[in-house]
Amino acid sequence: MKKLLRRLDERGVLWATLNRPERRNAVDYDMMDEFEQLIHEIKHLPHVKALVITGAGDAFCAGGDLQQFHALRTTEEAYPMLQRMGTVLYDLMLLPVPTIALLNGTAVGGGCEIASACDYRFAAHTATVGFVQGNLAITTGWGGAAMLLEKVRHDEAMTLLCSARRFTAHDAKDLGFIQEVFLDDVMLSCDKWIEEMLIPRAEVLRAYKESAARRWEATGLRERMVQEIRQCAQLWEGEAHHEAVAAFFRR
C-alpha cells in the first residue's frame, strides 16, 4: 500500500496525501522513501506548478512513528533517521514550486515540521497544531525550528516551540503559523484558493520560488538545520527522553 498517495490535476497542481490513517499518518521509513521520490520527480517535472500535502482520515500527521523509532536508543542510532528526514524537509522547503500544507486535522511534532517546510499552511477549523517534542524531552528533530524561524516572527516561533502545547487552528493563525482557517470542506476551500491565487504559468511560479530558495541557501539554512538535528540526536539518548516515550506507550 502506498503511504503517500498522489493526484495531479489538470492545472498542474499535485495533491499528495499522507496515507497511514491507522497511525495518524505518522512518518516511517517507507514514507520517507516515498517523500524522497516525490520531491525528486517534482524537480524534474516542469509542468507541475504547485504541491499540496494533506493527510488521510482525521489527522494531518502525528510526526515520527514512535513504534518504529523507539528502538533507536543512542545518538549514533538516532542521528541517521533524523538527518534523513531533515534532508527531505530541506529539499521540500527549497522545492521549486509553491507548496501548501493543508492541515485537515491534528498536526503535532514532526507534522508541524513538515508544515513549516511549506510556503503556506491552511487548516480546518477543527485542527490542532503543536510542536510537542519538548514533552518527550527532545527538540524538533528534523530542522523544524530553523524553518519555523524563517516563516514567523521570532517571539511567535518561540511561543510555539517553548510551550510544547497544542493550539487551535485559530490560535495558530494569530501566532502567524496558519495563513487561512477553512470553515467548510478543506479540499474544496484549498482548491478555490489555488484557483484565485496561483494564476501565473508554472515557469513563473517556479522562478519566484527559486528566488526564495536562493535566499535560504545564502543564509545557511541547511547548516542551521543540521546543527539542530545534532542537538536533538544528543537529547535522544538521554534517560528523560526514553522515560517520556515509555510513559507515552503506557497511556
Side-chain angles (χ1 to χ4, degrees):
M1 182 182 73
K2 285 285 188 181
K3 296 182 179 180
L4 193 60
L5 303 178
R6 313 174 190 184
R7 176 177 64 86
L8 182 65
D9 70 22
E10 67 282 357
R11 298 164 303 185
V13 177
L14 199 157
W15 300 75
T17 303
L18 309 180
N19 187 40
R20 298 187 72 211
E22 75 286 354
R23 298 288 301 142
R24 300 186 66 75
N25 302 318
V27 175
D28 63 1
Y29 289 117
D30 291 337
M31 190 179 284
M32 287 186 196
D33 289 342
E34 295 185 38
F35 252 124
E36 290 168 342
Q37 183 181 7
L38 173 70
I39 290 168
H40 175 77
E41 290 178 2
I42 292 175
K43 287 179 179 178
H44 297 90
L45 291 174
H47 59 284
V48 174
K49 63 185 293 184
L51 170 67
V52 181
I53 301 174
T54 192
D58 60 358
F60 174 72
C61 177
D65 189 340
L66 288 179
Q67 283 195 344
Q68 187 170 85
F69 299 148
H70 85 282
L72 307 174
R73 302 291 298 179
T74 68
T75 297
E76 291 73 20
E77 291 171 343
Y79 182 79
M81 178 275 291
L82 300 172
Q83 174 64 6
R84 182 183 177 194
M85 193 60 189
T87 298
V88 168
L89 295 191
Y90 178 77
D91 290 343
L92 175 60
M93 186 151 166
L94 271 64
L95 197 66
V97 298
T99 54
I100 297 167
L102 182 57
L103 310 183
N104 55 300
T106 299
V108 293
C112 283
E113 298 191 65
I114 294 171
S116 296
C118 295
D119 299 305
Y120 299 97
R121 286 159 296 283
F122 304 147
H125 71 280
T126 54
T128 57
V129 304
F131 290 83
V132 298
Q133 291 91 333
N135 296 323
L136 293 177
I138 56 173
T139 59
T140 45
W142 299 338
M147 293 184 294
L148 181 66
L149 285 160
E150 293 289 329
K151 302 298 179 71
V152 305
R153 254 180 20 207
H154 173 82
D155 61 315
E156 295 168 334
M158 294 299 284
T159 297
L160 288 162
L161 294 166
C162 294
S163 68
R165 58 171 283 230
R166 299 184 186 219
F167 296 85
T168 67
H170 292 286
D171 287 343
K173 185 173 187 294
D174 290 341
L175 285 167
F177 186 64
I178 302 295
Q179 281 74 52
E180 297 283 348
V181 177
F182 295 142
L183 300 179
D184 300 317
D185 184 289
V186 292
M187 299 292 283
L188 291 176
S189 297
C190 184
D191 191 73
K192 180 180 179 182
W193 184 92
I194 290 171
E195 192 69 30
E196 293 175 351
M197 297 300 294
L198 298 185
I199 302 301
R201 293 172 55 87
E203 59 267 29
V204 176
L205 294 174
R206 284 176 175 251
Y208 283 136
K209 182 60 184 287
E210 286 168 359
S211 292
R214 286 193 292 271
R215 172 181 175 274
W216 290 324
E217 289 176 317
T219 59
L221 173 63
R222 177 61 176 152
E223 181 54 32
R224 283 182 278 133
M225 291 176 66
V226 169
Q227 291 173 355
E228 177 184 336
I229 291 165
R230 288 197 185 106
Q231 289 177 322
C232 181
Q234 291 168 1
L235 291 170
W236 190 283
E237 73 173 9
E239 196 59 36
H241 171 60
H242 295 306
E243 289 176 356
V245 172
F248 173 84
F249 283 118
R250 287 195 298 268
R251 289 191 322 195

